[in-house]
Amino acid sequence: AIPQVIPLKPKSALGMALRRTIDESDESGDFKWTQDEQIKWLSREKDTIVAIRQTRVSDTGTKLVSRKQVQEAQRGKLVELSKAVIDLLYNMILKQFQGIGVEPVGAGELDGPFADLGPVNLIELTTGIHTIEALEMVKSHLMSILGPMMPKNNQGFYTSAVKMPKLQMSQVYMTSVMFGYFLKRVDHRYQVAKQLGILERTYKSEEAVERLEAMLRLSKSESHELSKSLRENESTGSSSSLEYTYYTDEDSVEDLNDPAAWTDPSEEEEEEFRYDAETKRRDLELVGDGRSLEDLADPVSLREYIEQFDSKTMVQCASLMSQEAAVLLQEYQYALFGNIRGLQKEMALALGPPSSEGQPPTAEQIMKKIASAVEQDAVQTIILTFADQRRLILEAVAMGSFLRDAEDYVEKESTSDILTPLPPLPFDDNSIKGLLGDGGQA
C-alpha cells in the first residue's frame, strides 16, 4: 500500500474516497471502477455549472439573484471541482506507482541535511515504465544531470555523496518531471508512427552503405556497356534507336563551337571507369542476396525523430495539458522541498546584487558563488548519495510519465471539459531541447 507520508493529502471528498481504495484494496478493478465513476460525476457537475453560469437571472422564490451573484457562487463550485480533479490525477499517479511496486519519496524525507531514501527497484522504475527507445533517452538524461563525477560502479553510487543547495535539487526534480511528461508524449507518437510504417529510415550501417555503392557501380557498368555497344553499332553502320537533338537555342549553338564539346565522352569514361570481374562478381552477390535496402535500413531513433520536430510541435509536446496538472506539480514540489520561494530568496541573497558595470555574471562566476554559499551554509543544503540522486531523478521522470497518462485518460473518458486548458506557450524550444541532454556528456 502507498505509505501515509505521501506528499499530498486529498482536498476533496472524492479524493479521500479514491485514496481509501488505494490504501485498503489491492484490487485494481475497485480503483478503476471508482475512478471512472468519479470522472462521470465530475463531467456532469461541470456541465451543470456551465449551464447555470449562462443563466441571466434566477428566481430563488423570495428574491431575484443577479447574474453576478450566480456566477460568483458557481465560481466557488468550479474551484472545488478543480480540487477534485487534482486529487483524481494524483491518485491515478499513486496507483501507477503502486502497480510497479515503488513507493514515492515521502514528505519530510528531504528535510534534513542528509537524506537516506533507501533502496528502490530500479528495474521497475525504468523498464517497467518506458519503452526500449525511451529508455535510451532516460539514460542520457540521467547521465547529463549526474555529470562527470558520477561513480563508475554501482558500489560508488552508495558510498559517494554530494552536498548541494536544496533549491538546485528541487529544480533538477521538476526538470526531470517535465522530461518524463515530454518523453511520454513524443514516445507515443513515435510508437504509432513506427507501427504504421511511416518513420523515415536511414542507411547508416556498413552493409547498407556497401550495397548502395554496389548498386551504383552496377548501374554505371550497365550505362558503360550500353554506350560501348552503341559506338560499335555506329562504326559498323548498324541502325540504332538513338534520337538526335536539334539545337535551336543560341547558347547551345555557341557551346557546340567549344572544342571540348566535340570530345568523345566515351574516351573519358574509358579512363575513369574500371570495373574488374572480381568486384563485379561481389557486387552482384551483394545486390542479389534476396534482401532489399529496406531490410538493411536503420530505423530512425526516438532522438532523431524528436530532432525532426519544428518549434511549434516541440513546445506542444512539452506543454502541460491542464491547469490542474500545473497546480499539482507546484504543490508537489513544495511538499517535497519546502518553501521554494524562500529557497529562491536565499539563493538570490547568496549570489548578491548585479554588477555595477551592468555586465551579467558568467556561468563560472555563478557556480563559484553557489559553491561558496554551500560551503558556508548560506543557503539550505542537502547531502545526497549518487544512488539517492538517481532514484529521485528516475522517480521524477516516472511521475511526469504517469501524469501524462492520467491526463490522457481523463480527457478520453470525460464527457465534459473537466480539465482546464493552459494558455499556449511561446514557441521557444531552446529550454525544451535542454531536457534532452547531450547524450551523456555533462
Side-chain angles (χ1 to χ4, degrees):
I2 298 296
Q4 296 301 315
V5 291
I6 52 178
L8 300 181
K9 295 180 180 180
K11 297 181 179 63
S12 65
L14 291 181
M16 288 186 283
L18 193 56
R19 183 70 55 82
R20 283 195 298 270
T21 306
I22 299 177
D23 294 336
E24 299 173 2
S25 173
D26 293 330
E27 297 294 331
S28 60
D30 294 343
F31 178 86
K32 187 177 186 308
W33 183 86
T34 306
Q35 160 195 284
D36 291 346
E37 288 300 309
Q38 289 193 3
I39 292 174
K40 292 176 184 177
W41 186 89
L42 290 168
S43 297
R44 293 193 298 268
E45 189 71 7
K46 180 64 177 289
D47 288 337
T48 301
I49 292 173
V50 171
I52 293 177
R53 290 187 70 184
Q54 293 173 349
T55 303
R56 294 197 175 196
V57 177
S58 175
D59 190 352
T60 63
T62 58
K63 62 178 181 179
L64 291 178
V65 181
S66 69
R67 182 181 180 184
K68 182 177 180 181
Q69 290 174 307
V70 171
Q71 289 181 339
E72 287 177 351
Q74 298 311 311
R75 189 178 296 113
K77 291 185 178 181
L78 280 175
V79 171
E80 294 303 313
L81 185 141
S82 181
K83 290 179 181 179
V85 173
I86 293 172
D87 284 345
L88 173 65
L89 293 176
Y90 185 50
N91 283 324
M92 292 172 72
I93 292 171
L94 290 179
K95 186 62 178 178
Q96 290 206 66
F97 272 116
Q98 186 186 60
I100 62 172
V102 172
E103 293 184 356
V105 174
E109 291 191 70
L110 299 174
D111 288 347
F114 185 87
D116 184 12
L117 305 182
V120 69
N121 191 331
L122 292 177
I123 294 178
E124 293 298 336
L125 205 51
T126 51
T127 58
I129 301 172
H130 310 290
T131 64
I132 295 175
E133 295 86 354
L135 273 176
E136 288 298 316
M137 296 196 64
V138 173
K139 180 180 178 182
S140 295
H141 174 76
L142 178 65
M143 294 175 67
S144 67
I145 290 177
L146 295 183
M149 300 300 293
M150 182 178 66
K152 304 301 181 184
N153 55 65
N154 195 50
Q155 182 180 359
F157 271 83
Y158 293 93
T159 57
S160 302
V162 176
K163 184 180 181 181
M164 67 180 72
K166 185 180 282 191
L167 177 64
Q168 179 183 347
M169 191 62 236
S170 74
Q171 292 171 336
V172 167
Y173 189 91
M174 296 312 297
T175 297
S176 297
V177 170
M178 291 308 302
F179 171 78
Y181 186 94
F182 170 79
L183 184 62
K184 184 68 175 185
R185 194 167 187 179
V186 297
D187 187 46
H188 176 72
R189 292 169 58 119
Y190 174 81
Q191 298 300 332
V192 170
K194 187 177 177 182
Q195 291 177 5
L196 295 177
I198 58 176
L199 283 178
E200 295 182 6
R201 302 177 74 84
T202 57
Y203 300 92
K204 297 181 292 186
S205 69
E206 184 177 343
E207 191 174 358
V209 173
E210 287 180 357
R211 175 170 291 208
L212 282 169
E213 292 175 345
M215 292 176 68
L216 290 172
R217 284 194 296 268
L218 286 170
S219 176
K220 189 172 183 180
S221 173
E222 291 174 1
S223 299
H224 177 71
E225 293 297 330
L226 177 61
S227 175
K228 183 177 180 181
S229 175
L230 291 175
R231 292 198 308 274
E232 290 175 352
N233 287 340
E234 288 178 354
S235 64
T236 58
S238 301
S239 61
S240 70
S241 59
L242 283 177
E243 294 183 0
Y244 294 93
T245 302
Y246 295 92
Y247 291 89
T248 57
D249 186 87
E250 293 183 1
D251 292 337
S252 300
V253 173
E254 290 178 2
D255 290 341
L256 293 177
N257 293 326
D258 186 354
W262 295 94
T263 304
D264 186 353
S266 63
E267 296 176 1
E268 295 182 358
E269 287 184 11
E270 199 72 37
E271 291 298 323
E272 294 177 0
F273 187 76
R274 291 289 183 270
Y275 201 28
D276 61 86
E278 180 60 22
T279 303
K280 185 173 184 178
R281 182 188 65 78
R282 288 199 306 269
D283 285 351
L284 287 171
E285 289 180 356
L286 187 60
V287 173
D289 66 357
R291 291 178 297 168
S292 66
L293 271 174
E294 198 70 14
D295 297 327
L296 296 174
D298 296 320
V300 172
S301 69
L302 179 56
R303 180 180 291 275
E304 291 170 331
Y305 176 72
I306 294 172
E307 288 172 350
Q308 297 171 5
F309 288 0
D310 57 24
S311 296
K312 182 177 180 180
T313 304
M314 186 80 77
V315 172
Q316 285 176 341
C317 289
S319 301
L320 292 173
M321 181 190 299
S322 65
Q323 292 183 24
E324 287 76 15
V327 172
L328 170 59
L329 292 183
Q330 184 180 48
E331 291 181 351
Y332 197 85
Q333 184 184 22
Y334 271 69
L336 274 183
F337 299 98
N339 188 336
I340 302 301
R341 289 190 178 181
L343 296 177
Q344 291 171 338
K345 289 180 180 179
E346 283 182 356
M347 184 60 71
L349 289 173
L351 293 177
S355 172
S356 58
E357 299 177 357
Q359 295 294 330
T362 64
E364 183 179 359
Q365 291 172 333
I366 292 176
M367 293 306 297
K368 284 183 178 180
K369 287 186 177 181
I370 292 177
S372 176
V374 169
E375 184 178 355
Q376 300 172 15
D377 289 324
V379 295
Q380 293 185 52
T381 60
I382 187 169
I383 300 175
L384 289 166
T385 64
F386 278 91
D388 284 343
Q389 290 183 62
R390 177 176 62 188
R391 173 181 175 170
L392 281 170
I393 293 168
L394 293 178
E395 185 181 302
V397 173
M399 183 176 182
S401 179
F402 292 158
L403 175 59
R404 180 66 206 178
D405 283 339
E407 279 187 316
D408 278 340
Y409 188 86
V410 170
E411 184 183 43
K412 181 180 68 174
E413 295 298 321
S414 60
T415 57
S416 182
D417 296 329
I418 62 176
L419 292 174
T420 309
L422 276 175
L425 298 174
F427 296 144
D428 178 12
D429 59 352
N430 291 329
S431 59
I432 299 169
K433 289 180 179 178
L435 293 176
L436 306 181
D438 51 8
Q441 298 175 357

